[in-house]
Amino acid sequence: MRSFTFESLSPQEFDDFSFSDHEGNFQQTSAMAEVRRKDGAEVEFFGVREDGKLVAATALEYHHNGMSQFAQVHDGPLCDYHDTELVSFLFKELKSKAKKAGCAQMEITPEIPYLVRDSFGEELPKGPNAKWPLGTPTDAPVEADREAFDNIVAQGFEHSGFVREYTAVPRWRYLKDLRDIKDEAALLKSYNKNTKRNVRIADESGVIVRRAKREDLAEFHRLCELSGEKHGFENRSVEYFEQILDCLGDNAEYCIAYIDTRAYLESWLEKRDGFQKEVQRLEKSLPTANKPERVERQLKDQRSKYEASLKRIEQAQKHIDEDGEMVPVSAALFIWHPQECVYLFSGGDQRYAKFYAATALQHHAMLECIERGVPSYNFYGIDGVFDDPKDPGYGVLEFKQGFNGYVEELMGSFTLPVKPMAYAAKKLAHKVLGR
């Protein structure tokens, strides 16, 4: 007979478990619990011990919204969902806690994947000779995790469905396994052709990535606002970004990519001079050339490059005149956890899209993962639609696919009626009100 004990955990005990557990993640940390407390939730940390060893842990949130009260677990609980006895014991205790807090239901979004897929949403090939693309975990399961799913449902949870859409806590997400990538050369080699080129263009175009300070968060917010207006999503407030920084500290890395427009101008002036010299050399050699048709082709190419450089110089000068010599053009928030780095928020100025600063930001974060020994880079949410170029999320998907990672289809959202009659009344009210 196995012996489990359920107990409250200190923030440090909880973090120690999250930082070492395979499914540990930034949502299940004391820092994010503090963010939610500042947003009005009550949060407690609980764990299960077996023979003195901590084998499960969770941050349990209590939300009070007028007459409605519910409990919630973001990206958790952290436990072995294949251990039927442990799962049963854990959720029995959590249900009891939620009930005592007056909650009508408990909602969870387990971190465990339901099915691992390739970059294009297809199931991974099976068999001993199957080859998976670099960036896909070599130890990924190839079958859907029905056992874990069934163990959750057996506790009385209702599943919200295997939806394909953006959700607050992603059901579909894009990741890249970095365990076998040891340096920048290997990282670049793992990208697709266009993304490699875009990293190079960003570097040659004077894109500089800097870690933002607190006083830079208004600029970060402005860049996110530009993307929100373009894509139709609501931006977070500056105060929220400050709250994340206050609670997570160095584990919240706000980055802004700038274009050094003066350096960009000078690089094109140098290129122009090089093209001009080559044109002059070829023009001089043409009358005595053994293969004049070959020289003519070369001359045509160099003249074309020279003319293009004049346009770039004119454009660079315009950028300097309009926006200055150090222009913030793209921003991203990266959240650090020992198990992964998560790309959480971003925004950018589309006038400078061809400088590929957004690509430079991703490359910067993955390089830092390699330096820190963080095994996984989490591009976070996608909507799970892979075959419709008209889908609103298709551009985001294509951008992430350029880095050659893989897809995790997560279990999704589950709801456990804690007070069945109160929960049923709440569902009926939502239906009547059309919510």
Side-chain angles (χ1 to χ4, degrees):
M1 182 74 176
R2 298 171 68 182
S3 177
F4 296 118
T5 57
F6 186 80
E7 61 184 62
S8 296
L9 298 178
S10 70
Q12 188 61 58
E13 287 175 314
F14 176 63
D15 283 340
D16 287 346
F17 188 84
S18 175
F19 293 163
S20 61
D21 186 68
H22 178 66
E23 301 298 340
N25 62 85
F26 83 99
Q27 297 276 21
Q28 287 291 298
T29 60
S30 63
M32 281 304 295
E34 187 60 26
V35 171
R36 294 200 162 86
R37 286 192 182 104
K38 289 179 181 294
D39 280 342
E42 298 176 38
V43 188
E44 292 185 289
F45 306 123
F46 297 111
V48 177
R49 293 188 188 274
E50 183 175 15
D51 300 325
K53 180 183 178 182
L54 194 61
V55 293
T58 193
L60 182 63
E61 306 162 26
Y62 308 115
H63 296 268
H64 307 280
N65 182 14
M67 297 296 290
S68 174
Q69 298 183 68
F70 65 97
Q72 189 171 34
V73 179
H74 282 89
D75 285 0
L78 305 178
C79 71
D80 180 0
Y81 287 92
H82 304 102
D83 186 333
T84 305
E85 289 184 65
L86 174 60
V87 170
S88 178
F89 178 82
L90 171 63
F91 283 116
K92 179 182 177 182
E93 295 296 330
L94 290 178
K95 181 179 180 180
S96 176
K97 289 292 182 182
K99 190 172 184 178
K100 287 180 181 178
C103 299
Q105 82 271 20
M106 178 168 63
E107 301 169 0
I108 67 168
T109 47
E111 179 74 359
I112 186 170
Y114 179 69
L115 184 62
V116 177
R117 299 172 178 267
D118 69 14
S119 183
F120 300 96
E122 300 293 332
E123 294 187 21
L124 296 174
K126 302 174 178 64
N129 298 319
K131 292 185 178 180
W132 298 351
L134 188 65
T136 305
T138 56
D139 54 356
V142 296
E143 302 289 349
D145 196 345
R146 287 298 313 185
E147 180 184 3
F149 181 88
D150 290 343
N151 277 343
I152 296 170
V153 173
Q155 309 314 310
F157 281 92
E158 302 171 358
H159 186 228
S160 63
F162 292 108
V163 298
R164 288 180 183 265
E165 60 186 30
Y166 282 110
T167 49
V169 178
R171 200 183 87 77
W172 295 85
R173 63 187 184 184
Y174 198 91
L175 303 97
K176 189 175 180 74
D177 181 20
L178 299 172
R179 288 175 294 179
D180 294 330
I181 300 176
K182 305 302 181 184
D183 54 36
E184 184 173 16
L187 183 61
L188 283 168
K189 187 177 180 181
S190 75
Y191 300 161
N192 74 18
K193 182 180 178 180
N194 286 342
T195 300
K196 288 178 192 174
R197 180 205 64 194
N198 295 347
V199 171
R200 175 180 55 79
I201 290 173
D203 184 56
E204 294 175 353
S205 299
V207 174
I208 299 169
V209 175
R210 293 179 177 171
R211 186 164 190 159
K213 298 177 181 178
R214 187 183 182 86
E215 56 265 31
D216 301 316
L217 291 183
E219 185 61 57
F220 181 95
H221 176 269
R222 183 187 72 83
L223 290 166
C224 291
E225 192 72 19
L226 290 176
S227 290
E229 291 171 357
K230 177 178 173 59
H231 298 291
F233 64 82
E234 187 174 349
N235 189 20
R236 293 282 194 167
S237 66
V238 175
E239 291 74 22
Y240 180 80
F241 291 139
E242 291 174 340
Q243 187 172 297
I244 290 281
L245 185 62
D246 291 341
C247 294
L248 273 68
D250 288 342
N251 289 326
E253 184 176 357
Y254 288 92
C255 286
I256 298 177
Y258 298 82
I259 296 174
D260 185 339
T261 51
R262 177 61 61 183
Y264 178 66
L265 172 62
E266 290 174 355
S267 72
W268 278 105
L269 288 170
E270 184 179 345
K271 289 175 184 177
R272 178 204 61 186
D273 292 345
F275 296 143
Q276 188 175 42
K277 286 180 181 178
E278 189 62 12
V279 167
Q280 292 169 347
R281 185 189 71 79
L282 290 167
E283 287 177 337
K284 186 176 181 180
S285 70
L286 184 58
T288 59
N290 291 328
K291 296 181 178 180
E293 66 281 357
R294 180 181 177 184
V295 176
E296 286 281 9
R297 288 196 301 271
Q298 292 174 338
L299 186 56
K300 182 179 179 181
D301 179 59
Q302 291 300 310
R303 283 172 176 162
S304 176
K305 290 179 177 177
Y306 174 75
E307 292 298 326
S309 72
L310 295 180
K311 293 179 181 179
R312 294 296 182 104
I313 289 167
E314 182 182 358
Q315 179 192 54
Q317 189 60 59
K318 183 179 179 182
H319 288 322
I320 292 173
D321 294 341
E322 292 182 353
D323 296 322
E325 297 189 0
M326 193 63 69
V327 186
V329 297
S330 190
L333 169 59
F334 305 107
I335 303 294
W336 291 94
H337 183 280
Q339 302 294 338
E340 64 178 0
C341 174
V342 180
Y343 164 45
L344 195 58
F345 294 113
S346 66
D349 188 335
Q350 286 300 304
R351 295 179 302 153
Y352 289 89
K354 291 298 178 68
F355 286 80
Y356 300 107
T359 302
L361 283 165
Q362 302 302 314
H363 185 63
H364 160 83
M366 281 184 271
L367 274 179
E368 196 166 339
C369 283
I370 293 169
E371 292 173 8
R372 294 189 185 199
V374 174
S376 178
Y377 184 70
N378 188 344
F379 287 89
Y380 220 46
I382 55 176
D383 63 10
V385 178
F386 299 91
D387 55 359
D388 182 6
K390 295 181 181 179
D391 182 75
Y394 198 76
V396 171
L397 174 65
E398 282 192 311
F399 173 73
K400 295 177 180 182
Q401 286 174 327
F403 296 92
N404 283 336
Y406 67 101
V407 172
E408 281 186 349
E409 178 187 356
L410 299 184
M411 295 281 183
S413 176
F414 297 82
T415 301
L416 178 68
V418 173
K419 294 182 176 180
M421 292 184 66
Y423 178 57
K426 183 188 294 188
K427 286 206 302 183
L428 179 60
H430 285 182
K431 184 177 180 179
V432 170
L433 295 171
R435 288 190 257 168

